[in-house]
Amino acid sequence: MVTLEPIIHLSRELLPTPKFFFGLTTNRSRVGHLPLEKMESQSQVLERLRTAFESGVTIPEKFRRTQLTNLMSMIKDNEEQIVNALHKDLTKPKFEAILSEVDIVMNELHYALSNLTSWMQPEYVSKNLATKLDDCFVRREPLGVVLIIGPWNYPMQLLILPMIGAIAAGNCVVIKPSEVSAATDNLITELMPKYLSKDCYAVVRGGPKETQALLKNRFDHIFYTGSQAVARVVLQAAAVHLTPVTLELGGKCPCLIYGRVNATAAAHRLVWAKFFNAGQSCVAPDYVLCSKATRDALVPALRQVLEDFYGSDIQKSPDMSRIVTPKHWTRLMGLLNRTKGKVVVGGEHDEKDRYIAPTVVVDVAEDDALMEEEIFGPILPILTIESLEESIKLTKRKEKPLAFYVFSDESSVVKKVLENSSSGGFCSNDGIVHMALPGLPFGGVGNSGFGHYHGHWGFEAFSHRRAVMLRGWALEKLNALRYPPYSDEKLSWLRWTTSPKSCSIM
């Protein structure tokens, strides 16, 4: 039996018992007050979407463009509400909310609308003599009814970005926002049916119990962003129906700092990437590897940059997010209390405010508590290893991360790390920014997930690549080479007509 025990904790911080609603339209600010007759069962919702998909309504380009344009209007018309919801959930600053939850979505929508026509075109392939008169191409077709399960740390971006790819590819979509980011969950549920087709797109709300029931249904693809523990549960549920899955997970993303480096510039970029959203980013630098000399130059630079960014009393800064829930705050404090390293920057905390100051810990060993799991918070351990080679070896002893960072003015250092590491993404001399470019695929490898999205890669993730050969009745004498009675002469001719050598005749 499939169980969702690993995610039961996700709903315990919420005051009301979570309920689920599907594609509902309401003028009220909180959909939790909808009358009971407005609610639908999961089977009713999926039947509605399945019927819509089988009608072919999502196939035409015009329909897809209309829905993507409407989604753009939803974000644009409600930007202030989105920012406010994110502030309620994570105390996310307006600047970070706009950058990481609004503009990245709008840019993705613009990119999809600009390229949709070319993405939908058949992709013609090379042919040999035996297929010279045939039309041979790859046709992208929608998968059907797909499920997208979003996380709480970027509750708008990481739910809507994959949805853009799913809509562009012509699918019907069920989205499941995280109940942990309750204000954003409420807002998405309220807004979505006002802008998108209620026959083709639905919002499912709820906690682990509702998600467990949802995963028992047959979908044509499941897209999940979150932890490895819950990903295993999703895979088990998908296996029952042989449903393909995209998993966007995380991991401990290393940052190697070696060779010639401008410590001040490195500190600026490292502080921004690590403490953006209070470190609650799956691609945030999780730990630093550097020499002792580099560490001694970096630590005071980090301390100064933190003051430059957030002031002398960071807790009072309007630019610092908070930990999402008391449970997550307690987990992070547990890691900090168990570390055998030395806190040299930060360490202040306030449980009532769910605040943990940006914290730098040195003298951290490979087997330290801070190295056991993805930190996912504003704590940065620094491990001192004198040689680049040994640092690379340490990263290889860990699971493959979602992102890998190297800071160095020396191209040889960057090249060596790139060629001797494996990760979902790679970025030199900066952090996080690589995921904002729609032309680059975003996804993990190994323990950090599988499958990609963003831009064209999102369209591909939700498309079936159908091999098509359109053949007439010509060249029947040539086809006769494959019919019995067989002979060595026929085989010789047939092997030649189907070989790569025959392609040059075209």
Side-chain angles (χ1 to χ4, degrees), residues 447-493:
N447 205 56
S448 56
F450 48 78
H452 299 85
Y453 71 121
H454 286 196
H456 183 238
W457 305 91
F459 178 86
E460 291 288 324
F462 291 100
S463 296
H464 167 59
R465 290 170 285 282
R466 190 178 187 184
V468 179
M469 178 183 287
L470 302 180
R471 169 164 282 195
W473 297 102
L475 297 180
E476 183 60 17
K477 288 186 177 181
L478 182 61
N479 289 326
L481 294 173
R482 58 190 167 97
Y483 302 151
Y486 301 136
S487 69
D488 288 344
E489 182 180 10
K490 281 185 176 182
L491 181 60
S492 178
W493 277 103

Side-chain angles (χ1 to χ4, degrees), residues 82-94 96-97 100-101 151-158 178 180-185 275-281 317-326 328-329 332 353-356 376-378:
I82 292 170
V83 170
N84 290 339
L86 293 166
H87 192 269
K88 288 180 181 178
D89 289 330
L90 291 145
T91 321
K92 189 170 289 193
K94 178 180 179 180
E96 292 188 3
S100 65
E101 306 266 19
W152 53 261
N153 58 327
Y154 292 90
M156 183 67 66
Q157 177 205 145
L158 297 181
S178 171
V180 176
S181 46
T184 307
D185 180 4
F275 301 114
F276 192 96
N277 198 33
Q280 298 168 114
S281 304
S317 171
D319 298 327
M320 177 56 64
S321 298
R322 294 298 188 265
I323 308 306
V324 65
T325 66
H328 288 80
W329 184 93
L332 288 166
D353 192 26
R354 304 195 318 274
Y355 169 76
I356 299 176
F376 222 69

Side-chain angles (χ1 to χ4, degrees), residues 208-463:
K209 181 179 178 180
E210 289 78 19
T211 306
Q212 183 174 5
L214 184 64
L215 286 169
K216 291 180 180 179
N217 294 283
R218 178 187 293 274
F219 291 94
D220 297 295
H221 193 92
I222 298 175
F223 190 107
Y224 169 75
T225 301
S227 70
Q228 285 87 356
V230 180
R232 292 182 176 91
V233 176
V234 173
L235 278 176
Q236 289 176 353
V240 174
H241 301 293
L242 297 180
T243 301
V245 174
T246 298
L247 298 179
E248 299 295 342
L249 310 177
K252 295 186 74 65
C253 302
C255 180
L256 277 61
I257 307 179
Y258 282 90
R260 296 188 308 273
V261 179
N262 182 316
T264 301
H268 277 91
R269 299 186 186 188
L270 183 57
V271 165
W272 181 82
K274 174 61 181 178
F275 301 114
F276 192 96
N277 198 33
Q280 298 168 114
S281 304
C282 56
V283 290
D286 191 88
Y287 62 98
V288 170
L289 293 169
C290 64
S291 68
K292 184 178 183 299
T294 298
R295 182 201 68 185
D296 291 344
L298 182 64
V299 168
L302 291 172
R303 185 180 294 110
Q304 184 59 54
V305 168
L306 282 167
E307 183 172 347
D308 293 343
F309 282 9
Y310 305 110
S312 57
D313 189 345
I314 299 179
Q315 187 172 2
K316 294 181 179 179
S317 171
D319 298 327
M320 177 56 64
S321 298
R322 294 298 188 265
I323 308 306
V324 65
T325 66
K327 188 179 185 72
H328 288 80
W329 184 93
T330 300
R331 180 189 67 84
L332 288 166
M333 288 305 303
L335 292 177
L336 199 55
N337 290 333
R338 287 169 51 214
T339 182
K340 295 180 181 179
K342 178 182 179 182
V343 174
V344 292
V345 178
E348 299 83 10
H349 53 273
D350 183 337
E351 183 174 6
K352 185 177 180 181
D353 192 26
R354 304 195 318 274
Y355 169 76
I356 299 176
T359 300
V360 179
V361 185
V362 300
D363 299 334
V364 175
E366 185 178 351
D367 61 353
D368 191 87
L370 292 174
M371 297 299 292
E372 292 176 356
E373 62 184 66
E374 182 180 7
I375 294 173
F376 222 69
I379 304 169
L380 180 65
I382 299 179
L383 287 71
T384 52
I385 298 180
E386 292 304 314
S387 77
L388 177 62
E389 291 75 12
E390 288 302 315
S391 288
I392 293 174
K393 288 180 181 179
L394 184 149
T395 64
K396 287 184 175 181
R397 291 193 290 269
K398 303 290 183 182
E399 296 285 359
K400 295 179 180 179
L402 186 57
F404 201 118
Y405 304 110
V406 55
F407 286 16
S408 181
D409 291 339
E410 300 175 24
S411 60
S412 61
V413 171
V414 175
K415 182 179 179 182
K416 185 169 186 176
V417 176
L418 177 61
E419 293 179 348
N420 290 277
S421 63
S422 178
S423 61
F426 183 92
C427 183
S428 65
N429 298 320
D430 214 333
I432 296 183
V433 293
H434 65 286
M435 68 169 293
L437 186 63
L440 288 175
F442 181 74
V445 58
N447 205 56
S448 56
F450 48 78
H452 299 85
Y453 71 121
H454 286 196
H456 183 238
W457 305 91
F459 178 86
E460 291 288 324
F462 291 100
S463 296

